[in-house]
Structure formats: structure tokens, C-alpha cells
Amino acid sequence: MPLPTNPLQMVHLGPRKKRPRQMGASMVCPPHDIKFQDLALYILEKKMGTTRRAFLMELARRKGFRVEDELSDSITHIVAENNSGSEVLEWLQGQNLKASSQLELLDVSWLIESMAAGRPVETTGKHQLVKRDYSASPNPELQKTPPLVIKKISQYACQRRTTLNNCNQIFTDAFEVLAENYEFRENEVFCLAFMRAASVLKSLPFTIISMKDTEGIPCLEDKVKCVIEEIIEDGESSEVKAVLNDERYQSFKLFTSVFGVGLKTSEKWFRMGYRTLNKIKLDKTLKFTPMQKAGFLYYEDLVSCVTRAEAEAVCMLVKEAVWAFLPEAFVTMTGGFRRGKKIGHDVDFLITSPGSTDEDEEQLLPKVINLWERKRVDSGKCSQQEGKTWKAIRVDLVMCPYERRAFALLGWTGSRQFERDLRRYATHERKMILDNHALYDKTKKIFLKAESEEEIFAHLGLDYIEPWERNA
Ligand code: UTP
Ligand code: MG
């Protein structure tokens, strides 16, 4: 049944003028039958007021909902009005309540819709003041634990859990454009400021709706806060708009979209007056690297994102080729796909084999490439661009010694910001040096061994962060 556009009309929510009796918090209500035993509601008075709260409580009870007067551990749904997620969380923190697996923090719209429907409607993102969408997490423990208790947010991404469920995309998209523009202009300080800000907002379990919500959040410099404020007020940032229309930004964005083209080459082409790829391709005086040649040749394929299905197909090919030379090898998909991303710009793999020699390790990748090269020539795919039935996909292969696999796996899983902060944390908080190969303790002057990522986190004194929580 479609809901009426204004559910208030259907359940007559507004206090009527001719009410036979005044309803107040102290009123003794007649008992109502509870139809929905699994739910226990608590309606938050803050910003709603006593009268409206009492009114909604009475109405919900009449509709068969269990509404409690007091907050307790048995409450399953907290309903609030005119409160942001962070405000409800802040209030809840002062309530000495056990974090329950059931607890939902909902906007009053959920209660109104539920009363209109005559049953509790499904809670969705539009009702949830704090998202509890851990459904993507394969860890059942995580699905049970809502992120109710907001601890002090760390300045390090490796001390935050960042899933792909980004509640602040409107801000983070803007920051990423600005960071990229600063990168193109080689302003590292501002670039990093916006990248860190994007990273911290991605970890928040609530959407920022007012400047008050930004209080206590680290990594938000004044420059960043100005952008947030403008987006809250106008829905967009004038600075971002200007960047998106900027000729240098647009050209660099286009040039760096070619595989093998970085900032230096972009700068050169931009200074030469180039603004399109077609003109560059036709300039016979320009010398291209083998990567750039491939970048131009397979441009359309490479700019289109790699899907998970394509990544899985590539994984089969990589395994088949690797196992032809090292049958014992472990082949693991790393990078964004290991973090649960649905699309990527490439597919990253880590290859390692117990008992492999230095020589095996050195020779594996050239052997694999050689095998694929021969296959490509045999099938005549190098020249067949017309009516082609294949797609060029960028694949990053990393081979590492078996004893270093945990460091390599951690290092190649990303995200880049997560890795950056892991290293920064190791250096500044632990006097250790971490890279994709090893962890060195400068105080003890020893290399710390690890068989798993969990052990590396433990060496660093960090809680373990699962790959899908590293989308910083
Ligand atoms: P990617 O650039 O492939 O990023 O590097 P991604 O996270 O998979 O995202 P996509 O591909 O754009 O979807 C994967 C990880 O490998 C490490 C970084 O930690 C990065 O997060 N890496 C990459 C390095 O350590 N060094 C490099 O030179 C490149
Ligand atoms: Mg990748």
C-alpha cells in the first residue's frame, strides 16, 4: 500500500484543538495491548518537548507499540526529532547504557510512518540517524556491534574503522577534487590537508549537518571548515566549482588519465599548449614511454573501471600463469578489491611461495609476462582492435619472499591514506619504521617478525583493523 504523502494526515498527529483532556508527562495512560513484542521504544524529549513527546507516546501505545517511559538496556529503538546523529550519540553517551546489538537511533519519521502503516516499517538509511549498515561485513561480530560509542576520533586513519559506507560523500567528493588540484599544483601541504579531512569524514558513523557536528573531529583545518560550512549552507562549494572549470585542472585530469602519464609529463604537455589527447598523439616530435604507448593504445579500456567480475576473471588467469611456474604459490588479490570495493582502476595481486629461492622470486614475473606475451601473439590480439571481444585491464603483480608476506599484504591492501597513517603512526608513536617489506624497532634495534597482518598490528600496539575497514 503506498504511504500517503503526508502520513500525519492519516494518523492525525498534530494536537487537536478540541482535545477532551490535556496530555502531559504525568498523565496516567490506560493500558494498551502491545502488538509488537520485539520492539521497545524510547522517545527522546530533547528538542522535542514534553508535550509532543507525551502525545507521540500515547499515540504509539494506542497503535500497539511498546513505549517505555524510562531509558533502559531493554530499549531497542530510540526515536528523536530535530536531532542530528551526533547529537543523539552525544546524549546517549551520558546515559550509561550498554551498547546493545538491537539499538536503533531513528528519526521521528520512522515512528510516524510506522503508525501510519499500523506496524513497524523497515528502518532504512533515511530513518537512521546513525547508520548501522555493517551488512557488507563478513564478520558476524561486527554486524552485532553498532558503532554507538564514539570514542575520541584519532588523527591516524589506522586507529579508525572506515568502511565503504560513507555518510559524508558530499563533503569528501569536494575535498578530493581540491586535494587533486593542489597535487597538480604541487602544493603538498594543502593536498594532504584535504586528503586527511576526506579520510576522517569517511570514518564518521553520521552525516555532518551543522558546524556543531565538526567539533572534536581532528584533521579539519580552517581552510577545510570553510568548505564544509559553504556546502552546509549552499549545497556546494564555490572553490570546487572553480577548480572543475579550471583549464589546468581539466588538462591535468585528462593527461594523467593516460596510463604512464604523471605530473611531469602533464606539466610539459600543458606548457606546450596542448589541451586534448588527440593533438598529443599526432605530435611526431614527442617521445612516449612503452607504458604511455600502451596507455594511448588501450585508452578507452583503461579509463573504464574494472568490475569485480572482471577482477575475478583476471585472478583465474594470474593463478593459472603463476602456478605453471610455482605450483605452491599463494596468489592473493590485494588493493581496493580486497577492501571490498566493487570497482577499481586496476587489479592488484600479491604472489608468494613457501620454499621459493631468490632466483624463483626474481624470475617469476618475467616468466609470467613472457607467457602472456606469447599467448597474445598466438591469438593475434595485439592488432585486433576492430570488433574485439577482449578488454585491456591494468594488473599490478607483486612477488615477495614468503617470510615477508604479511608486510607485503598489509602494504599493498591500502588504502593509500591508511598506509600513510600506519607509517606515520609507527614513526611518531612507536619509534618504528614500517614499509611493505618489514617493521624495524629503532629502540630495540631489531626487525620484528610477523606471520600475519594481525601480528603487525599487535607489534604496533594497534587494534586490528579488517581490510574492509581500511577504506580511509
Ligand atoms: P592502487 O593504486 O591500486 O589503489 O594501490 P587501490 O586502493 O587498489 O584503488 P584502485 O586501484 O584505484 O581501485 C593499491 C595499494 O598498493 C599500495 C598502496 O598502499 C595502495 O593503497 N601501493 C601502490 C604501494 O605501496 N606502492 C605503489 O607504488 C603503489
Ligand atoms: Mg588497485
Side-chain angles (χ1 to χ4, degrees):
M1 184 190 73
L3 280 172
T5 41
N6 180 1
L8 286 170
Q9 287 166 352
M10 190 160 155
V11 291
H12 309 294
L13 270 190
R16 287 185 194 151
K17 276 184 188 154
K18 282 190 204 161
R19 291 203 82 82
R21 50 188 179 165
Q22 188 72 35
M23 277 195 281
S26 59
M27 198 191 75
V28 180
C29 303
H32 300 290
D33 287 341
I34 295 173
K35 284 199 214 153
F36 316 106
Q37 295 286 352
D38 297 345
L39 278 68
L41 275 52
Y42 178 81
I43 302 180
L44 181 59
E45 191 179 303
K46 188 170 166 274
K47 292 198 177 174
M48 180 185 280
T50 327
T51 316
R52 179 149 167 86
R53 175 174 184 256
F55 173 73
L56 286 174
M57 281 170 70
E58 166 67 7
L59 203 61
R61 282 171 179 158
R62 280 195 207 168
K63 295 268 172 191
F65 290 87
R66 190 174 128 200
V67 188
E68 302 288 352
D69 292 312
E70 308 286 337
L71 188 66
S72 73
D73 289 334
S74 64
I75 295 293
T76 59
H77 294 57
I78 293 179
V79 176
E81 189 167 43
N82 299 324
N83 279 276
S84 70
S86 66
E87 284 171 320
V88 176
L89 281 173
E90 195 184 305
W91 165 82
L92 197 60
Q93 267 186 290
Q95 301 301 313
N96 196 19
L97 197 72
K98 268 190 254 158
S100 134
S101 60
Q102 298 294 319
L103 195 52
E104 289 263 21
L105 305 186
L106 301 169
D107 183 70
V108 73
S109 59
W110 171 80
L111 182 59
I112 291 169
E113 280 176 37
S114 297
M115 290 194 289
R119 57 169 172 82
V121 296
E122 195 191 339
T123 56
T124 62
K126 69 173 180 169
H127 306 119
Q128 286 166 327
L129 293 168
V130 174
K131 291 205 180 144
R132 301 170 59 233
D133 184 13
Y134 275 68
S135 51
S137 161
N139 182 342
E141 280 309 304
L142 277 176
Q143 288 174 22
K144 275 196 263 163
T145 322
L148 279 186
V149 187
I150 290 216
K151 290 194 223 126
K152 190 173 178 299
I153 302 166
S154 172
Q155 61 150 313
Y156 296 107
C158 55
Q159 289 188 304
R160 305 190 294 252
R161 295 179 196 274
T162 316
T163 65
L164 289 166
N165 180 12
N166 176 4
C167 305
N168 290 286
Q169 199 180 343
I170 187 166
F171 302 106
T172 59
D173 282 353
F175 295 171
E176 280 166 2
V177 169
L178 297 176
E180 195 175 31
N181 186 48
Y182 285 121
E183 187 192 352
F184 293 162
R185 291 173 182 275
E186 289 174 67
N187 183 335
E188 273 175 46
V189 177
F190 284 169
C191 173
L192 201 58
F194 279 103
M195 286 209 289
R196 281 206 186 132
S199 170
V200 75
L201 291 205
K202 284 180 188 176
S203 76
L204 297 181
F206 57 84
T207 306
I208 289 178
I209 57 168
S210 77
M211 287 314 282
K212 200 173 173 298
D213 294 336
T214 65
E215 283 169 20
I217 302 176
C219 316
L220 302 183
E221 294 177 11
D222 288 349
K223 214 172 158 42
V224 171
K225 282 199 173 158
C226 285
V227 177
I228 298 180
E229 195 160 17
E230 206 188 341
I231 294 175
I232 289 173
E233 279 169 16
D234 307 336
E236 60 183 8
S237 150
S238 53
E239 204 181 328
V240 170
K241 255 175 119 176
V243 167
L244 291 174
N245 282 315
D246 178 64
E247 198 178 23
R248 186 186 159 96
Y249 176 81
Q250 289 177 348
S251 304
F252 271 60
K253 190 88 186 140
L254 180 67
F255 300 163
T256 55
S257 72
V258 180
F259 174 54
V261 177
L263 293 187
K264 264 193 198 155
T265 309
S266 299
E267 180 78 50
K268 187 174 115 187
W269 291 348
F270 187 73
R271 277 173 196 259
M272 288 171 79
Y274 285 121
R275 298 294 179 264
T276 65
L277 294 179
N278 273 338
K279 292 247 171 73
I280 295 170
K281 277 195 277 187
L282 294 172
D283 184 338
K284 293 278 178 285
T285 66
L286 289 173
K287 280 215 164 62
F288 302 122
T289 66
M291 279 204 282
Q292 291 164 354
K293 280 182 193 159
F296 279 121
L297 192 56
Y298 306 118
Y299 184 77
E300 294 303 330
D301 279 357
L302 296 180
V303 285
S304 81
C305 284
V306 184
T307 64
R308 181 165 282 278
E310 288 166 346
E312 295 294 347
V314 169
C315 186
M316 302 285 283
L317 294 175
V318 173
K319 282 182 175 168
E320 187 186 74
V322 168
W323 289 341
F325 307 107
L326 285 176
E328 310 259 279
F330 292 97
V331 176
T332 312
M333 210 188 282
T334 59
F337 285 110
R338 184 162 182 252
R339 303 196 307 274
K341 275 177 65 176
K342 298 235 162 27
I343 51 165
H345 91 284
D346 67 358
V347 200
D348 308 282
F349 292 97
L350 177 66
I351 303 157
T352 189
S353 184
S356 64
T357 62
D358 290 357
E359 207 185 347
D360 290 336
E361 285 154 23
E362 260 168 49
Q363 289 179 359
L364 179 76
L365 297 187
K367 280 180 180 170
V368 166
I369 305 291
N370 191 276
L371 178 82
W372 283 339
E373 193 68 32
R374 285 201 315 262
K375 274 194 181 173
R376 190 174 68 133
V377 172
D378 289 348
S379 62
K381 277 180 181 167
C382 23
S383 52
Q384 268 177 33
Q385 287 265 17
E386 297 284 312
K388 74 183 176 55
T389 54
W390 50 274
K391 178 183 173 184
I393 288 177
R394 208 183 130 174
V395 179
D396 275 6
L397 302 178
V398 174
M399 171 84 197
C400 79
Y402 193 66
E403 324 75 68
R404 303 193 172 193
R405 68 196 181 285
F407 297 100
L409 183 60
L410 179 59
W412 291 95
T413 296
S415 69
R416 276 166 201 273
Q417 196 57 36
F418 190 88
E419 301 295 336
R420 248 185 227 121
D421 279 6
L422 259 180
R423 278 170 217 174
R424 198 161 62 90
Y425 179 86
T427 306
H428 297 293
E429 305 295 331
R430 302 285 168 202
K431 294 200 167 52
M432 293 183 188
I433 303 170
L434 174 71
D435 65 15
N436 290 1
H437 312 275
L439 179 63
Y440 182 73
D441 187 325
K442 289 206 279 184
T443 318
K444 293 185 187 155
K445 296 195 170 65
I446 50 166
F447 282 97
L448 300 168
K449 288 200 171 124
E451 297 289 316
S452 65
E453 290 178 310
E454 282 88 339
E455 286 179 33
I456 306 172
F457 279 85
H459 282 316
L460 290 165
L462 287 169
D463 286 345
Y464 183 61
I465 307 284
E466 298 281 359
W468 57 89
E469 299 169 322
R470 299 182 202 159
N471 288 290

